[in-house]
């Protein structure tokens, strides 16, 4: 097994979560130990949806939330001098907690770009050193392109060359793992977003409403007068364009697989064929 890191990326509704799980199961069934990291949970290399708090301050920060501290601790990892809290996984109705944790992320331009870049370079390098020594496979969903391109595009208004340089820094940090990338773009972005907007509805609200609100309030959204559903689609189309350009610059094995008919089994056959080359 040469490749120790497989990354799966693509626009919402392309099947990233589903196929990240299927890839993990595929290797598990072939006797390989697999570590799968999905969007939103604790991540060994990325800080999206995770609060980052100095260990020396953790008790003071969490003092208002002692009533569910055990639930928080279940979703907390100590890494060097920081406590990394996967706060979106914490089961509580305390909205103040979520706002407090969100304010302690490094995403959404809460730190300068140079700090954002360096924090992640160190995390990806640290992850690579540890993973290199293990006879295991790791699968990342959304960690390389979606999270970082969105941050640089939406909040730092970075041009394509700056985005390429940042992403390549992360890829170089894990070069010893012979990483590979599977990208699921979907040819018709609007149709795909409409499709999942109908599906992602819960008692907490509609997914697309959150996407629209987010898109409208970012520096990119304000600069380009992004409004409503059409604006959200425009954002995803632009992100897809940028990501496909970035992929061309990456010195790793990649494959781009479109699925216009939502034929998930046919797509899985293509993915398995790619896995056999790794």
């Amino acid at each position: 097994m040469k490749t120790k890191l497989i990354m799966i990326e693509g626009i919402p509704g392309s099947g990233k979560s589903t196929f990240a799980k299927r890839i993990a199961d595929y290797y598990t069934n072939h006797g390989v130990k697999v570590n799968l990291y999905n969007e939103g949970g604790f991540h060994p290399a990325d800080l999206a949806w995770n609060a980052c708090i100095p260990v020396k301050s953790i008790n003071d920060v969490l003092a208002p939330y002692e009533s569910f501290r055990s639930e928080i601790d279940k979703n907390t990892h100590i890494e060097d001098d920081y406590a990394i809290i996967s706060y979106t996984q914490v089961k509580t109705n305390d909205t103040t907690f979520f706002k407090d944790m969100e304010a302690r992320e490094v995403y959404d331009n809460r730190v300068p770009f140079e700090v954002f870049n360096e924090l992640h370079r160190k995390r990806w390098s640290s992850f690579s050193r540890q993973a290199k020594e293990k006879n295991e496979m790791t699968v990342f969903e959304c960690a390389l392109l979606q999270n970082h391109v969105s941050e640089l595009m939406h909040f730092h208004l970075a041009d394509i060359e700056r985005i390429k340089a940042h992403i390549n820094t992360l890829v170089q940090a894990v070069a010893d793992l012979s990483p590979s990338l599977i990208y699921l773009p979907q040819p018709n972005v609007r149709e795909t977003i409409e499709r999942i907007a109908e599906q992602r509805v819960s008692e907490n609200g509609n997914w697309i409403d959150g996407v629209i609100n987010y898109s409208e309030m970012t520096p990119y959204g304000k600069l380009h007068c992004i409004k409503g559903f059409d604006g959200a689609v425009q954002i995803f189309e632009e992100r897809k364009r940028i990501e496909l350009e970035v992929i061309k610059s990456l010195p790793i094995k990649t494959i781009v697989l479109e699925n216009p008919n939502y034929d998930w089994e046919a797509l899985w056959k293509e993915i398995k064929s790619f896995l056999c080359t790794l």
Side-chain angles (χ1 to χ4, degrees), residues 25-118:
D25 290 343
Y26 172 84
Y27 280 101
T28 299
N29 292 335
H30 283 77
V32 179
K33 178 174 172 51
V34 182
N35 304 296
L36 170 62
Y37 295 98
N38 292 112
E39 183 180 9
F42 169 75
H43 202 285
D46 194 45
L47 287 166
W49 303 107
N50 285 271
C52 189
I53 303 170
V55 170
K56 63 183 180 181
S57 305
I58 191 68
N59 288 328
D60 290 337
V61 170
L62 297 180
Y65 315 115
E66 281 300 321
S67 63
F68 54 96
R69 178 64 185 268
S70 61
E71 173 67 17
I72 297 173
D73 289 345
K74 285 194 303 184
N75 293 283
T76 299
H77 292 73
I78 303 301
E79 184 174 302
D80 295 329
D81 296 327
Y82 289 94
I84 309 299
I85 303 178
S86 304
Y87 68 91
T88 61
Q89 306 300 307
V90 174
K91 296 177 182 178
T92 177
N93 294 321
D94 190 331
T95 57
T96 302
F97 168 75
F98 293 113
K99 290 179 181 178
D100 192 4
M101 294 300 103
E102 182 180 351
R104 297 173 188 277
E105 287 190 48
V106 300
Y107 272 83
D108 294 355
N109 203 19
R110 295 185 180 92
V111 298
F113 170 74
E114 291 73 17
V115 176
F116 179 87
N117 176 272
E118 185 63 8

Side-chain angles (χ1 to χ4, degrees), residues 111-130:
V111 298
F113 170 74
E114 291 73 17
V115 176
F116 179 87
N117 176 272
E118 185 63 8
L119 281 173
H120 281 98
R121 184 192 66 78
K122 288 181 178 179
R123 284 179 64 83
W124 283 69
S125 295
S126 176
F127 161 74
S128 182
R129 287 193 299 271
Q130 295 176 43

Side-chain angles (χ1 to χ4, degrees), residues 36-236:
L36 170 62
Y37 295 98
N38 292 112
E39 183 180 9
F42 169 75
H43 202 285
D46 194 45
L47 287 166
W49 303 107
N50 285 271
C52 189
I53 303 170
V55 170
K56 63 183 180 181
S57 305
I58 191 68
N59 288 328
D60 290 337
V61 170
L62 297 180
Y65 315 115
E66 281 300 321
S67 63
F68 54 96
R69 178 64 185 268
S70 61
E71 173 67 17
I72 297 173
D73 289 345
K74 285 194 303 184
N75 293 283
T76 299
H77 292 73
I78 303 301
E79 184 174 302
D80 295 329
D81 296 327
Y82 289 94
I84 309 299
I85 303 178
S86 304
Y87 68 91
T88 61
Q89 306 300 307
V90 174
K91 296 177 182 178
T92 177
N93 294 321
D94 190 331
T95 57
T96 302
F97 168 75
F98 293 113
K99 290 179 181 178
D100 192 4
M101 294 300 103
E102 182 180 351
R104 297 173 188 277
E105 287 190 48
V106 300
Y107 272 83
D108 294 355
N109 203 19
R110 295 185 180 92
V111 298
F113 170 74
E114 291 73 17
V115 176
F116 179 87
N117 176 272
E118 185 63 8
L119 281 173
H120 281 98
R121 184 192 66 78
K122 288 181 178 179
R123 284 179 64 83
W124 283 69
S125 295
S126 176
F127 161 74
S128 182
R129 287 193 299 271
Q130 295 176 43
K132 181 182 178 182
E133 302 305 317
K134 301 174 182 177
N135 187 29
E136 300 173 359
M137 171 69 73
T138 300
V139 180
F140 282 175
E141 179 205 356
C142 299
L144 179 68
L145 294 179
Q146 174 180 286
N147 295 344
H148 290 268
V149 170
S150 293
E151 175 72 9
L152 270 63
M153 172 185 168
H154 283 288
F155 290 95
H156 298 275
L157 302 177
D159 61 27
I160 186 66
E161 294 307 317
R162 193 180 187 190
I163 294 174
K164 285 180 181 178
H166 174 71
I167 300 298
N168 271 277
T169 295
L170 305 182
V171 168
Q172 290 164 11
V174 293
D176 286 344
L177 304 181
S178 299
S180 60
L181 172 68
I182 298 170
Y183 190 77
L184 309 176
Q186 287 303 101
N188 190 325
V189 174
R190 174 177 290 275
E191 178 188 54
T192 301
I193 299 304
E194 287 175 344
R195 181 187 179 99
I196 61 169
E198 294 179 355
Q199 298 172 352
R200 297 184 181 180
V201 179
S202 71
E203 59 184 17
N204 297 318
N206 298 352
W207 169 81
I208 192 61
D209 292 337
V211 170
I212 290 170
N213 291 336
Y214 174 85
S215 300
E216 291 179 348
M217 59 75 64
T218 64
Y220 182 94
K222 293 176 180 177
L223 178 65
H224 294 276
C225 299
I226 297 299
K227 297 293 181 183
F229 182 81
D230 288 344
V233 171
Q234 180 183 331
I235 289 279
F236 285 122

Side-chain angles (χ1 to χ4, degrees), residues 221-262:
K222 293 176 180 177
L223 178 65
H224 294 276
C225 299
I226 297 299
K227 297 293 181 183
F229 182 81
D230 288 344
V233 171
Q234 180 183 331
I235 289 279
F236 285 122
E237 289 176 338
E238 178 62 6
R239 203 192 86 199
K240 171 185 167 181
R241 184 192 70 78
I242 291 173
E243 290 173 351
L244 288 171
E245 281 298 310
V246 170
I247 287 172
K248 295 175 184 177
S249 74
L250 299 180
I252 61 175
K253 192 162 188 175
T254 65
I255 189 169
V256 178
L257 298 172
E258 293 193 340
N259 184 25
N261 298 318
Y262 302 99

